[in-house]
Amino acid sequence: MMDSTADVILVLQLLVNLGPLAVYFIILGLVNSQGRPRLLSCRADFVALTVVFLPVLVWPVPFLAAHGWWWLLGLGAACVAVAFACLLPRSDAGWVIYHTTENEVRAMVRHAVRRIGFDGHWSGRRLHVPDACATIRLSPFPWLGCVSIHLRGQTGRPDPHLVTRIQEQLQHQLARRSLLPSVVGTCLVVVGVVLWLVPLWMMLRHMDAIVDVVGSLLFA
């Protein structure tokens, strides 16, 4: 019975840890296979990533609870909460555009800035807009098919009116684009399916143990 319980626990751990990650990669792959790029706020993208990797942070909880180390469990929870609050981007911090490339985003950002009446100059991956006292920084993630756009004002926070106008211009440009499914999107879907098949294969392999444990719980 102990062997059956250990097998079931292993299957549950794989499902809890790999399941959200597999769903995340599949959704990401489908987003990169749509006909148009997708724009999200940096905050929404960060929250989605946190939800995906939260099971990894919860992994030590059963071990700590079994040994009665509640103070360490509370300390860890407090550290995670503080880290989340510190890393959570502001609502006006910028955006993430999926199904695009760095060069395409460079052109869109430059065009958006010009459309609202400002001019800027590139320095590496930073677009300096002196008239608006703002800096726009790009962070490409080609293996995820996305590019992050970060806004920063002269005193830290950018002008809310500037953020709104740039977002409107970006959305207007993205709505006019028509794209084919990307290779990155296909690869991400494949990765997600493989990650999902691993716990499914383990579940089928240990089906007898799962049946034994469930039966013992129902008819105890």
Side-chain angles (χ1 to χ4, degrees):
M1 181 63 186
M2 289 299 296
D3 292 339
S4 298
T5 304
D7 292 337
V8 173
I9 292 175
L10 176 61
V11 172
L12 290 176
Q13 287 177 333
L14 288 174
L15 282 173
V16 170
N17 287 273
L18 294 183
L21 194 61
V23 173
Y24 173 75
F25 278 116
I26 291 174
I27 293 176
L28 210 59
L30 294 177
V31 168
N32 281 284
S33 300
Q34 293 181 341
R36 289 185 177 86
R38 176 74 63 177
L39 183 143
L40 294 176
S41 68
C42 285
R43 170 171 285 196
D45 188 70
F46 178 80
V47 172
L49 280 174
T50 302
V51 172
V52 168
F53 289 100
L54 185 61
V56 178
L57 300 177
V58 179
W59 183 282
V61 171
F63 176 79
L64 296 176
H67 288 77
W69 294 343
W70 300 106
W71 64 272
L72 189 58
L73 185 61
L75 180 62
C79 291
V80 170
V82 171
F84 176 80
C86 293
L87 295 175
L88 181 66
R90 301 186 310 269
S91 57
D92 58 355
W95 312 274
V96 180
I97 303 180
Y98 286 93
H99 197 2
T100 189
T101 63
E102 181 182 357
N103 291 333
E104 293 172 343
V105 175
R106 276 177 175 265
M108 286 189 290
V109 169
R110 185 64 179 271
H111 181 73
V113 170
R114 286 183 173 178
R115 288 281 296 176
I116 60 179
F118 297 114
D119 196 10
H121 61 276
W122 285 101
S123 177
R125 288 175 173 160
R126 297 176 185 268
L127 178 66
H128 301 281
V129 189
D131 294 337
C133 299
T135 301
I136 303 175
R137 177 172 56 87
L138 304 184
S139 298
F141 300 93
W143 57 90
L144 296 179
C146 67
V147 179
S148 296
I149 305 173
H150 306 277
L151 275 75
R152 183 175 178 84
Q154 190 173 16
T155 59
R157 301 195 65 170
D159 180 16
H161 184 58
L162 176 67
V163 174
T164 301
R165 295 182 66 185
I166 292 178
Q167 181 174 347
E168 291 174 350
Q169 291 296 326
L170 290 175
Q171 289 175 333
H172 178 70
Q173 294 183 64
L174 294 176
R176 299 171 59 184
R177 296 181 64 83
S178 180
L179 303 173
L180 295 174
S182 67
V183 177
V184 173
T186 304
C187 293
L188 289 173
V189 170
V190 172
V191 171
V193 171
V194 170
L195 288 176
W196 184 252
L197 288 176
V198 171
L200 183 61
W201 174 74
M202 290 292 294
M203 182 183 298
L204 294 176
R205 182 182 178 187
H206 297 287
M207 184 58 67
D208 294 339
I210 296 174
V211 172
D212 291 340
V213 172
V214 173
S216 63
L217 292 176
L218 292 178
F219 302 104

